[in-house]
Structure formats: structure tokens, C-alpha cells
């Protein structure tokens, strides 16, 4: 068992006729049970075509009805990506993973407002996606660096997700599910949302949370974990040396008004009983230490 996706998940690709959508759909199909999982593509101008045997439909709703897909991954260009999310939400999919980077903030504000009260969960945008090792990957992460195990990983940074996984592997620890939630200021699932899922997952023994400067998502998660988390939780926050007002890579990773610094986040996490490291090279060792 894992959270959100497994070998039985059925996926459609929005933007399957573009170069990026085709490349990563092909890579995902080649991973574990991916050939059975990726069953449809969507492009309103190319309905009736196929990509290497995957049928292309005009709309998300048509793809869902014809194939039973309940999850979508989006590789649509930024000006049209929010509308692609809206279409998946209107079709009442269970989960949407938006890989696209550079979606206008105003578009995402409008989309997130529309999503309130709806059943669809959103991962991203501007994220690497989600993987349940040995079963299915949906996104752009390299599958070969992962292996099946019992550690959950949630991160705002794709690169640090890969680094965290590499360190876990050095310690002989596989992963139940790894989720990159993205570094944009307006996005879907937060650390807290993912933590609740890991907390309820019988096949996750511990969780590694990787955060960044900016916003208050990590603090919100830490306060909840103090009262409710039943499993060991360790954390790392990137940007300890980041100067105030300096945007660090991700659009959401900016210290504003003196709030959202790495030191503040780490201090609160420690107050809430979370084991933290200020050394990015120690994430794997720290996680292993709490399992002893």
C-alpha cells in the first residue's frame, strides 16, 4: 500500500502530443507497472490519434469515460496549464499532477479558488510529481534512484527530493511514496495534507519532510504533527543562509517581512518535537537514527 497512487491507478496525460509530454509519458510507461497505468492522452485538436498505442481524446471527461482514468498529469504550456487543471477538476478526477513551471500566479489563484469544495486533489504546479517505487511513477523524477520501502518523503524541491532519496538509499532505506509538492507560492497539496496521508498509511513507518524558506506551510505542518503525528518525523529546511528579500530559485522561496526564514522554521519544528538537521548531507542518517 502507498498513498495516492499504486499499480492499479489509471492515468491520462494532458499535453501528450507535445515533446515533453511524450518523453515523460514514455519514461513513466517504462517504469514498473506503467504500461498498464497510462491509458489515455488529451489534446482537443488531435482527438482520434494515438501516441504509441495510447488513444488521444478531445477532453478529459471523454478520456475518463472511455478508459476509466481517474488521475491526470499535465505538461501543458504555462498560459494554458491552469485551464487544463480546471478541466480535470470539472471532470471530477481524483488527482491531478501539474508538472508545468511558470504558470501565472493570478491564474493559479483563480484555479485554487475554483477547487474549494471539489473532490480533486492537486499536486504542483512546478513539481517533479509523485512516485510509489516499484509500482508507478507519474512525473519527471528518475525512477531508478528509488526502491520500495517504508519511508515517506515530501518536499517542495525536486532536486532535494532526489538528494533525500539518495541518502535514504545509502542507509538501506526504501520509500513508500515520494511526493514533490512544488515551490510555487500558490499550489495544491501542502506538507500538512501529505503528512496526514502518511500518518494514516499502514505501510509508512517514518517521514522525511524537506522544506524551503518562504510561506508558512512547514510551520503549519509542525504544529499539527506535535499533536497528531504517530510516526517518527524528521525535517530539513533549505535556505539557512538566504538573505532577506532574495528570491531563491522557487517563486515561493522568498523571505518577506522578516517571516519564513529557515531558522524560524527549524526552531518551530524543534519546539514541536520534530528532529531536524541543518546539514543537507545528514538527512538520511537522521531519518535512520529515529528508526532505531
Amino acid at each position: 500500500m502507498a498513498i495516492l497512487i499504486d499499480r492499479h491507478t489509471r492515468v491520462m496525460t494532458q499535453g501528450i502530443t507535445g515533446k515533453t509530454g511524450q518523453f515523460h509519458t514514455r519514461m513513466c510507461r517504462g517504469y514498473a507497472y506503467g504500461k498498464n497505468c497510462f491509458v489515455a492522452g488529451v489534446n482537443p485538436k488531435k482527438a482520434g490519434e494515438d501516441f504509441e498505442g495510447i488513444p488521444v481524446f478531445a477532453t478529459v471527461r471523454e478520456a475518463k469515460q472511455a478508459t476509466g482514468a481517474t488521475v491526470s498529469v499535465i505538461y501543458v504550456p504555462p498560459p494554458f496549464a491552469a485551464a487544463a487543471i480546471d478541466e480535470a477538476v470539472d471532470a471530477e478526477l481524483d488527482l491531478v499532477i501539474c508538472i508545468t513551471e511558470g504558470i501565472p500566479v493570478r491564474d493559479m489563484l483563480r484555479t485554487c479558488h475554483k477547487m474549494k469544495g471539489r473532490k480533486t486533489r492537486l499536486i504542483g504546479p512546478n513539481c517533479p510529481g509523485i512516485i510509489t517505487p516499484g509500482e508507478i511513477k507519474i512525473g519527471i523524477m528518475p525512477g531508478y534512484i528509488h526502491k520500495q520501502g517504508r519511508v515517506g518523503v515530501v518536499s517542495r524541491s525536486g532536486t532535494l527530493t532526489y538528494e533525500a532519496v539518495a541518502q535514504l538509499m545509502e542507509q538501506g532505506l526504501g520509500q513508500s511514496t515520494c511526493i514533490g509538492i512544488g515551490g510555487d507560492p500558490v499550489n495544491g497539496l501542502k506538507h500538512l495534507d501529505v503528512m496526514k496521508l502518511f500518518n494514516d498509511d499502514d505501510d509508512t513507518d517514518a517521514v522525511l519532510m524537506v522544506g524551503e524558506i518562504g510561506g508558512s506551510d512547514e510551520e503549519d505542518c509542525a504544529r499539527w504533527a506535535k499533536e497528531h503525528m504517530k510516526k517518527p518525523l524528521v525535517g530539513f529546511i533549505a535556505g539557512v543562509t538566504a538573505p532577506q528579500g532574495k528570491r531563491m530559485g522557487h517563486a515561493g522561496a522568498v523571505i518577506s517581512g522578516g517571516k519564513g526564514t529557515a531558522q524560524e522554521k527549524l526552531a518551530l519544528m524543534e519546539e514541536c518535537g520534530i528532529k531536524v538537521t541543518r546539514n543537507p548531507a545528514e538527512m538520511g542518517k537522521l531519518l535512520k537514527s529515529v528508526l532505531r
Side-chain angles (χ1 to χ4, degrees):
M1 183 179 173
I3 65 170
L4 296 173
I5 61 170
D6 60 25
R7 69 182 69 182
H8 304 295
T9 301
R10 295 295 175 264
V11 188
M12 68 179 77
T13 300
Q14 290 176 259
I16 196 170
T17 57
K19 185 181 297 183
T20 303
Q22 290 185 344
F23 176 81
H24 288 293
T25 299
R26 186 182 293 120
M27 293 297 101
C28 290
R29 285 188 89 195
Y31 180 79
Y33 295 88
K35 189 172 183 179
N36 297 329
C37 296
F38 282 76
V39 296
V42 178
N43 184 321
K45 296 181 179 178
K46 298 189 177 181
E49 298 182 6
D50 74 87
F51 168 67
E52 298 181 358
I54 300 175
V56 178
F57 298 87
T59 68
V60 171
R61 191 175 298 278
E62 290 175 4
K64 176 184 177 182
Q65 291 174 344
T67 67
T70 57
V71 173
S72 172
V73 58
I74 294 175
Y75 299 100
V76 174
F80 315 107
I85 297 171
D86 292 344
E87 185 183 353
V89 173
D90 289 340
E92 298 188 330
L93 297 188
D94 294 334
L95 177 67
V96 178
I97 301 110
C98 185
I99 308 299
T100 306
E101 178 180 3
I103 300 176
V105 173
R106 184 169 60 182
D107 290 359
M108 280 308 302
L109 283 170
R110 188 163 48 235
T111 288
C112 286
H113 178 72
K114 287 181 179 177
M115 291 184 69
K116 291 182 178 177
R118 309 293 290 272
K119 66 173 286 190
T120 307
R121 290 179 166 126
L122 171 65
I123 297 175
N126 188 16
C127 73
I130 175 172
I131 180 170
T132 293
E135 298 206 13
I136 178 176
K137 82 177 186 99
I138 307 176
I140 62 176
M141 73 290 287
Y144 69 89
I145 69 171
H146 300 79
K147 74 171 184 178
Q148 286 179 303
R150 300 182 64 85
V151 177
V153 179
V154 55
S155 171
R156 284 169 65 181
S157 164
T159 304
L160 284 173
T161 306
Y162 309 154
E163 176 62 29
V165 168
Q167 292 182 26
L168 292 174
M169 297 286 273
E170 288 177 358
Q171 300 298 321
L173 299 171
Q175 308 90 49
S176 53
T177 301
C178 299
I179 304 178
I181 57 177
D184 278 7
V186 182
N187 62 356
L189 292 182
K190 313 293 186 186
H191 284 99
L192 174 55
D193 302 311
V194 177
M195 203 62 64
K196 290 179 178 177
L197 296 172
F198 278 136
N199 202 33
D200 292 336
D201 179 30
D202 292 338
D203 289 333
T204 297
D205 292 339
V207 182
L208 173 56
M209 179 174 78
V210 181
E212 295 179 339
I213 61 171
S216 61
D217 292 350
E218 294 87 350
E219 292 93 322
D220 295 340
C221 184
R223 295 187 185 97
W224 177 87
K226 181 180 181 180
E227 301 294 330
H228 304 286
M229 194 68 185
K230 299 176 290 189
K231 304 173 182 180
L233 170 61
V234 304
F236 169 75
I237 302 295
V240 172
T241 60
Q244 183 173 343
K246 178 72 172 180
R247 182 162 291 163
M248 305 298 287
H250 282 159
V254 58
I255 301 168
S256 56
K259 297 293 183 183
T261 67
Q263 295 294 359
E264 282 184 331
K265 290 175 183 283
L266 289 165
L268 181 63
M269 290 163 69
E270 288 180 315
E271 289 176 15
C272 293
I274 299 172
K275 298 284 188 182
V276 303
T277 177
R278 288 164 175 76
N279 184 345
E282 299 292 330
M283 292 185 288
K285 292 179 181 176
L286 180 63
L287 191 288
K288 189 165 187 177
S289 72
V290 303
L291 292 176
R292 292 169 181 165

